[in-house]
Amino acid sequence: MSEPRLSILMYHQVGDFAPMRAHRANYCDRRRFSAQMALLARLGYRVIGLDEALAGLRGERALAPRSVVLTFDDGYRNFVDHALPVLARHGFPATVYVISDWVGRRAEWFAKDPGRPVPELMDAAALREVHAAGITIGSHTANHVKLGECPPARQAEELGTSRARLEDLLGAPVQHLCYPFGSFDHHTPGLAAAAGYRSATTCLRGAATRADHPLALPRKAISFGDDLLGFWWKVAVKHAPKPDLVSWRARLAGE
């Protein structure tokens, strides 16, 4: 049997946006998103949640050859307006990673780029709404920090605080994590495990396989510029790991 390869797709905002040259991986046009989800359905892809993905990557259950996981970073309000109805139409699960101490605020880190619109993040009511609709809520730390630039004690605080506050908000376990900006170091996976997380996604590029540590999973970024052919190519063809992923796989092997 061939090694299972899983496409974990990374989205941020979904909506209507003016053309841009920078930060294109932070945006997906709502019409393209709808077409992308329709294509997955038409081509027979199996869209699964992270729990099923982890079981497949551990070899505990069969992972369908055309398996895809959908993830959305930061918890933007436009997810409710533009992504959630499309996911509901197809019955697709997804995970939204939320910055616990920024719930109901705006993505103020955008303001460092002059002229770049600063979007709203979901408030508590919206998060409860999407959670009730079957969307998994994961942690994106407490304050959207670059964990790889923080000492271990600060990392542990960010990870533990975020999980506890999101669980209080939702009244449900929070077991999945995403490292903001894709930043982590050799301490981070162990600290994430100690904080109670079962998975963590990164910005390392490639398909996820059984060679990956569950707390350092690679993803494929879906960008503003991806037309339907480009989207299909990323999902169906672009599996090879980038050098950084190869390096981290070697470092984390056996842990």
Side-chain angles (χ1 to χ4, degrees):
M1 189 190 315
S2 62
E3 172 77 7
R5 293 182 298 191
L6 174 68
S7 292
I8 305 177
L9 305 186
M10 175 175 66
Y11 289 91
H12 287 76
Q13 297 189 70
V14 178
D16 294 299
F17 309 106
M20 80 284 296
R21 296 193 178 201
H23 308 292
R24 289 162 71 86
N26 282 270
Y27 303 91
C28 181
D29 180 86
R30 63 179 176 83
R31 291 166 290 268
R32 285 190 168 183
F33 179 75
S34 181
Q36 290 164 6
M37 297 303 101
L39 183 69
L40 292 178
R42 186 162 64 250
L43 296 181
Y45 277 84
R46 178 169 169 77
V47 180
I48 62 176
L50 281 168
D51 290 329
E52 184 174 344
L54 289 174
L57 292 173
R58 288 194 300 260
E60 297 171 359
R61 60 183 299 170
L63 195 62
R66 291 184 171 187
S67 292
V68 172
V69 172
L70 304 174
T71 66
F72 297 79
D73 291 13
D74 302 329
Y76 296 100
R77 179 69 179 86
N78 52 35
F79 175 87
V80 180
D81 301 322
H82 301 301
L84 185 60
V86 176
L87 297 172
R89 184 160 65 245
H90 293 289
F92 288 169
T95 297
V96 173
Y97 297 112
V98 174
I99 310 159
S100 66
D101 290 13
W102 289 55
V103 171
R105 293 172 57 181
R106 297 169 72 87
E108 294 163 14
W109 64 91
F110 281 49
K112 68 181 178 60
D113 300 309
R116 189 180 181 198
V118 179
E120 294 181 2
L121 302 171
M122 279 188 267
D123 61 15
L127 286 171
R128 293 188 183 106
E129 176 188 345
V130 300
H131 181 255
I135 300 300
T136 297
I137 304 298
S139 165
H140 208 35
T141 73
N143 292 288
H144 202 242
V145 298
K146 294 183 178 181
L147 292 169
E149 299 178 6
C150 296
R154 173 71 191 283
Q155 293 191 46
E157 179 183 3
E158 285 283 333
L159 298 173
T161 296
S162 180
R163 182 170 183 243
R165 290 179 177 168
L166 290 173
E167 288 184 340
D168 284 346
L169 187 154
L170 298 170
V174 172
Q175 299 180 317
H176 303 289
L177 169 69
C178 176
Y179 304 135
F181 307 101
S183 175
F184 68 105
D185 65 15
H186 66 283
H187 298 290
T188 316
L191 293 168
Y197 294 101
R198 298 179 58 238
S199 80
T201 52
T202 69
C203 293
L204 299 171
R205 297 290 190 261
T209 74
R210 289 176 184 164
D212 288 300
H213 193 292
L215 292 159
L217 294 172
R219 293 188 291 176
K220 300 176 179 182
I222 305 303
S223 174
F224 182 80
D226 290 334
D227 61 14
L228 207 55
L229 179 59
F231 172 80
W232 171 83
W233 180 70
K234 284 184 176 179
V235 172
V237 179
K238 196 176 181 182
H239 299 313
K242 294 292 187 181
D244 283 353
L245 175 55
V246 174
S247 175
W248 273 107
R249 281 174 174 170
R251 291 181 67 176
L252 294 170
E255 292 190 18

